[in-house]
Amino acid sequence: MIKAYASTIIAVPVDKVWERVRNFNGLPDWHPAATDSRIEEGHNAGEVGCVRNFALNEGSARVRETLLSISNPERCLSYDMLPDGPLPFVNYVSTMKFSAITDRGETFAEWWAEFEAGDGDTERWHRFVEDEVFLGGFRSLEASFAK
């Protein structure tokens, strides 16, 4: 089992960060890997059970993820990745959590996941998720507020 984790400080108040991230369909607004996103029929964005279907930057490959839980008071959400996508991830479950750094008006951001590498390349996918998906996403999220 791979356990990936990343954290950072985002120089933006937590309520603004959470407002942007809690929109489960808004991934292309801040993550560099996503080019477009849609919520599949049957649910609304932000509703537990909705499926986010988004295109990866690198081409026409699409990833599908289910919103498992969301808590506005805790500023936390969890999702899983459905196994029919382009990445060789098995049993992928991820959580994002955002907390106020009260004395600075900034955000402490955490993102973690547990999963298996279906192709056996554990080290590669561990580094990819931590560096490219999580930390790259956090950098882009912070930069999205400067636009």
Side-chain angles (χ1 to χ4, degrees):
M1 183 68 68
I2 298 170
K3 295 182 180 188
Y5 175 86
S7 65
T8 194
I9 294 172
I10 297 173
V12 175
V14 70
D15 288 334
K16 287 186 176 185
V17 172
W18 178 241
E19 183 179 342
R20 184 153 300 164
V21 173
R22 75 177 176 202
N23 175 5
F24 196 60
N25 197 37
L27 194 63
D29 295 337
W30 60 269
H31 201 291
T35 58
D36 75 83
S37 180
R38 66 178 181 267
I39 298 298
E40 295 182 1
E41 289 186 43
H43 294 282
N44 297 316
E47 180 183 345
V48 170
C50 73
V51 175
R52 167 172 66 194
N53 183 323
F54 66 93
L56 294 175
N57 239 353
E58 300 161 353
S60 61
R62 298 195 72 86
V63 175
R64 297 173 68 234
E65 298 172 334
T66 307
L67 183 61
L68 300 175
S69 67
I70 187 166
S71 171
N72 287 314
E74 294 178 12
R75 296 183 196 94
C76 183
L77 65 82
S78 295
Y79 63 92
D80 69 359
M81 185 180 296
L82 299 174
D84 55 354
L87 299 169
F89 299 164
V90 178
N91 300 319
Y92 183 99
V93 176
S94 187
T95 300
M96 302 176 77
K97 183 169 178 51
F98 302 90
S99 303
I101 301 176
T102 56
D103 69 333
R104 294 172 29 189
E106 296 177 336
T107 300
F108 178 64
E110 297 177 276
W111 199 346
W112 64 91
E114 290 188 9
F115 61 100
E116 297 169 51
D119 63 0
D121 199 347
T122 301
E123 184 59 32
R124 173 185 178 210
W125 294 115
H126 183 252
R127 279 193 322 269
F128 172 79
V129 169
E130 282 186 351
D131 297 341
E132 303 299 321
V133 177
F134 296 171
L135 290 175
F138 282 152
R139 284 186 214 103
S140 184
L141 175 60
E142 184 172 30
S144 75
F145 287 96
K147 297 177 182 176

